[in-house]
Amino acid sequence: MLGPDGGFARAWLTGKSVVPVPAGTRLDTAVMCRVEAGCRAVGAQHPIDESTAAVAHGVSASVVPRQPTEIGLVAPAPLVLLHTPDLQGAVLFPEPGYTLIAGSEAFLAAAVPEGIDAARARFGRYARAMKKRWPYLQRIATAYPPAHRAWSHPSDVTPGTASARLVSLLGAFTQGTCTAPEFADGWWEARRTTHSQGERASGDLADLLDGVFMLLEEYTPDPELRESGDLTDSELREGVQSLVRNTERGAERR
C-alpha cells in the first residue's frame, strides 16, 4: 500500500483518488469521522491500524482492528496508516498539518461527502493560511489540485460534464419539455455524479443549484406518497422557473 518514500504506492492508487484534508498535530475526531463514514460505505466495521514504518519497508506489521472512536480518543501523532480490510480506502497521517484520504469512488463519496474538488480547493486555502506554521502544506496542495474550476454561471459550465446535465435539465423543465418526476430523477442522478467527479459551483450558479436542491427536498414524485405540505408537480416547476429567472436577472444587472 505504501511505497519506499512513505507515500501511497502507485500500484495501489490505480483507480483511486487522493484528497488532502486539514489536520492538527495529532489525528483528530473530524478525520476519524470521515474514516468511519468511508468504512461504512464499503461494508467495513472498522479500519485496520498499521505501523507505517513497517509497511513502507516491507516488514510484516502488527495489524490491529480499531474502532474509529477509539482512535479518535487516543489521537495518535504521525506516522499513522489506517485502511479498510479490503484495501478500498486508506488514511495516511504522515506529518502534522494534514492527512491524505485515498480510496475507491464509494469510499471517498462517504469519507469526503463535499466532493473531491471542493475538498482540494478548501485544502488549498488552508495551506495558504497556514504557510508560516507549516510551509510544506503548499507543496501538498500543489500535488493535489482541483480537477475542475468552480463555475459561477450556467453559461460557464463545460459541456459534457454532470453540471452541464443539471443545466440542461433546468432548461428542459422550465420550458415544459420534461415532467416533474423526470426532472427530479435526472437531477438527483446528475447531482450525485457532480459530487463523485468533484465538480464545483460558486456564485450565482451555486445559489441556483442550492435553491433547486431545497425545492426537491420538499417534492415527492409519486402523488400517492406525498404528504401535506409537499410540493405538487406544478408548484415545483413554478419554483424552479422563479429561481432561473432570478439568476438571469442577477446576471443582467452585472
Side-chain angles (χ1 to χ4, degrees):
M1 176 173 282
L2 298 184
D5 62 352
F8 289 121
R10 289 185 179 181
W12 180 75
L13 283 176
T14 301
K16 302 179 179 68
S17 298
V18 181
V19 181
V21 173
T25 56
R26 307 182 77 83
L27 204 58
D28 58 29
T29 303
V31 174
M32 292 315 307
C33 286
R34 291 178 179 273
V35 177
E36 187 174 33
C39 284
R40 286 197 301 267
V42 296
Q45 294 184 347
H46 51 67
I48 300 297
D49 181 7
E50 294 201 43
S51 163
T52 57
V55 175
H57 292 88
V59 178
S60 178
S62 174
V63 181
V64 183
R66 296 278 190 89
Q67 294 293 337
T69 51
E70 174 190 346
I71 299 172
L73 290 172
V74 174
L79 298 164
V80 176
L81 173 67
L82 307 172
H83 64 78
T84 60
D86 61 1
L87 305 184
Q88 279 200 57
V91 176
L92 178 62
F93 185 29
E95 51 192 335
Y98 74 100
T99 59
L100 295 177
I101 300 180
S104 64
E105 181 177 327
F107 180 85
L108 288 182
V112 189
E114 65 269 42
I116 293 173
D117 265 18
R120 287 179 173 180
R122 174 175 175 250
F123 187 83
R125 296 190 293 270
Y126 162 76
R128 290 191 293 273
M130 300 297 289
K131 63 182 179 181
K132 289 186 177 180
R133 182 178 185 186
W134 292 313
Y136 52 81
L137 293 180
Q138 292 186 290
R139 170 176 53 82
I140 302 302
T142 300
Y144 302 104
H148 305 279
R149 68 186 181 91
W151 299 299
S152 60
H153 190 272
S155 61
D156 298 333
V157 178
T158 302
T161 61
S163 295
R165 172 61 176 159
L166 291 177
V167 173
S168 176
L169 282 166
L170 280 173
F173 187 50
T174 56
Q175 293 167 22
T177 57
C178 81
T179 66
E182 289 171 344
F183 172 72
D185 290 344
W187 180 275
W188 289 124
E189 180 181 358
R191 187 175 185 274
R192 286 192 294 271
T193 305
T194 64
H195 280 255
S196 66
Q197 294 182 352
E199 297 176 16
R200 295 179 296 134
S202 64
D204 289 346
L205 180 58
D207 292 341
L208 173 60
L209 299 183
D210 287 345
V212 174
F213 172 83
M214 297 300 294
L215 288 174
L216 285 173
E217 284 283 275
E218 299 178 12
Y219 173 73
T220 300
D222 189 342
E224 295 184 0
L225 298 179
R226 284 180 196 154
E227 299 179 353
S228 175
D230 284 352
L231 295 177
T232 63
D233 290 8
S234 59
E235 288 172 337
L236 176 64
R237 193 184 305 274
E238 291 169 2
V240 172
Q241 288 172 334
S242 177
L243 289 172
V244 171
R245 283 195 299 269
N246 290 339
T247 300
E248 292 172 346
R249 288 169 185 162
E252 290 173 357
R253 285 195 295 268
R254 282 189 282 276

